[in-house]
């Protein structure tokens, strides 16, 4: 489907009927913003996609149970600083207390509150700070609070991540907004990432959940930074119906348009996460065509994007197509070697399974330029690429996600195509994670 929407300002508060806030509650040692709240003025249809890890944070277990029992919500509270994962029974009791406190402060049932946490695994939420912070974050709610909320959910991120799009359904404007966090422990099938999406369309619960699951597969489940899946990752989406459009209850043109825009929002946030990978210098986009189906194409694309050797070659600005070919070959998808084609940007390197002559210096220059076009200033990265959160990332504009390194692979004549996104693997990734808790 051709794009039938436009980018607008406002993030998660761009859709009608939403407010958001982000404050400093004293959860992070750095003293930076660490508590965010998203609030719908009316009950909203709620859907979620969560980590596939067997070790799940208390908030993930809580949200799964809440959404199974009730397909709606009005508030999402997110704390940064402590993951509240692997914290046992007391960690879950802290989660229940958090929901109850938010419900009381907003005068809504605690069952209408969803929760998310991010931070160090094995650490309980600092409940004294959270208890005192909840009334403050409720008081700070605003129709322009998206940026503050985006700044309060990040941890090792260098930049905040936000997007809002608008389309027309039944001659009325419909909007979807989103914010996300994520930088490391990122791998397909969800990762250490949080994403929150708001929408003002009227859509049935089962359809909204289906849309979100498919959008996740084509976005957050198609990014990788380091091959590690985490305990806390959550994608939660609310649809509150305040656009006053007719209800979308079955598949059709309007549902297709809404899902396409939802997917675009999720893909933007996913690419921003991949570009902000810990220590990364550039975004990598891998597109695979000619596969039997979309799932097979995405599997090859994700394998290439996740290959440590491919990522290292991109960081070294080395146009080593052999590493791309090797990753495609081990992805577990059958194809004929003589059908393999590989391009790096505009440079055709392999065709019909045969190597071609190409300008290696020019291909290397392409990699250098792609990184330079999307990079933050070197002095900013050198000063601020730290998990200690000793500086305010919320004021930094997002890195560009429209100038990725493009790897294009064809494996045959099938109709299946798919994309995945990742980043290069730099020296700083090891430094950041070697020092994560120290």
């Amino acid at each position: 489907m051709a794009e039938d929407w436009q980018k607008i300002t406002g993030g998660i508060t761009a859709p009608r009927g939403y407010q958001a806030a982000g404050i400093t509650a004293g959860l992070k040692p750095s003293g930076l913003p660490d508590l965010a709240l998203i609030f719908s003025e009316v009950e909203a249809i709620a859907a979620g996609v969560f980590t596939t890890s067997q070790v799940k944070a208390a908030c993930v277990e809580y949200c799964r149970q809440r959404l199974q029992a009730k397909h709606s919500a009005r508030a999402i509270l997110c704390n940064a600083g402590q993951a509240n994962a692997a914290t046992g029974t007391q960690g879950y009791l802290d989660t229940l207390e958090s929901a109850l406190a938010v419900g009381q402060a907003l005068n809504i049932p605690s069952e209408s509150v969803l929760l998310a946490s991010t931070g160090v695994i094995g650490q309980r939420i600092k409940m004294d700070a959270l208890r005192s912070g909840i009334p403050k974050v409720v008081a700070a709610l605003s129709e322009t609070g998206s940026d503050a909320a985006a700044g309060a959910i990040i941890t090792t991120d260098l930049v905040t991540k936000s997007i809002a799009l608008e389309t027309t359904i039944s001659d009325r404007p419909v909007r979807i907004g989103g914010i996300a966090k994520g930088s490391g422990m990122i791998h397909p099938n969800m990762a250490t990432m949080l994403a929150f999406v708001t929408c003002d369309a009227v859509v049935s619960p089962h359809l909204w959940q289906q849309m979100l699951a498919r959008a996740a597969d084509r976005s957050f489940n198609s990014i990788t930074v380091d091959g590690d899946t985490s305990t806390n990752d959550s994608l939660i989406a609310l649809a509150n119906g305040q656009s006053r459009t007719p209800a979308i209850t079955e598949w059709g043109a309007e549902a297709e348009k809404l899902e396409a825009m939802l997917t675009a929002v999720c893909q933007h946030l996913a690419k921003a996460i991949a570009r902000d990978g810990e220590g990364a210098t550039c975004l990598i986009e891998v597109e695979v065509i000619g596969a039997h189906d979309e799932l097979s194409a995405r599997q090859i694309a994700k394998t290439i994007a996740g290959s440590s050797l491919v990522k290292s070659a991109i960081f070294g600005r080395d146009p080593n197509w052999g590493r791309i070919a090797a990753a495609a070959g081990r992805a577990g998808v059958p194809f004929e070697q003589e059908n393999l084609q590989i391009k790096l940007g505009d440079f055709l390197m392999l065709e019909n399974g045969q190597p071609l002559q190409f300008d290696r210096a020019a291909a290397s220059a392409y990699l250098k330029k792609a990184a330079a076009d999307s990079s933050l200033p070197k002095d900013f990265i050198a000063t601020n690429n730290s998990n200690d959160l000793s500086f305010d990332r919320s004021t930094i504009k997002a890195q560009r996600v429209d100038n990725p390194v493009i790897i294009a692979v064809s494996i045959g004549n099938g109709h299946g195509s798919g994309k995945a996104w990742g980043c290069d693997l730099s020296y700083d990734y090891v430094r950041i994670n070697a020092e994560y808790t120290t």
Side-chain angles (χ1 to χ4, degrees), residues 378-392:
K378 289 183 178 179
D379 57 348
F380 173 84
I381 295 175
T383 303
N384 301 320
N385 200 342
S386 165
N387 60 282
D388 188 45
L389 303 181
S390 58
F391 65 101
D392 189 356

Side-chain angles (χ1 to χ4, degrees), residues 22 28 32-34 146-154 160 179 392-394:
K28 290 178 182 174
L32 291 174
D34 48 25
S146 181
D147 287 347
I153 66 175
I154 57 177
T160 56
I179 61 173
D392 189 356
R393 290 166 174 81
S394 63

Side-chain angles (χ1 to χ4, degrees), residues 368-425:
K368 293 175 183 176
K369 185 177 188 304
D373 285 348
S374 64
S375 290
L376 289 167
K378 289 183 178 179
D379 57 348
F380 173 84
I381 295 175
T383 303
N384 301 320
N385 200 342
S386 165
N387 60 282
D388 188 45
L389 303 181
S390 58
F391 65 101
D392 189 356
R393 290 166 174 81
S394 63
T395 62
I396 305 300
K397 292 187 179 295
Q399 293 158 301
R400 295 181 60 167
V401 297
D402 55 354
N403 281 313
V405 169
I406 302 292
I407 297 174
V409 175
S410 176
I411 63 168
N413 298 315
H415 298 294
S417 64
K419 291 183 179 181
W421 297 271
C423 60
D424 56 346
L425 183 60

Side-chain angles (χ1 to χ4, degrees), residues 288-322:
V288 175
I289 63 172
H292 175 70
D293 52 30
E294 180 185 350
L295 184 62
S296 299
R298 284 209 314 268
Q299 185 170 330
I300 295 174
K302 288 190 288 188
T303 303
I304 295 170
S307 165
S308 294
L309 291 177
V310 172
K311 292 154 66 71
S312 297
I314 299 299
F315 174 65
R317 316 310 179 215
D318 177 13
N320 187 344
W321 61 264

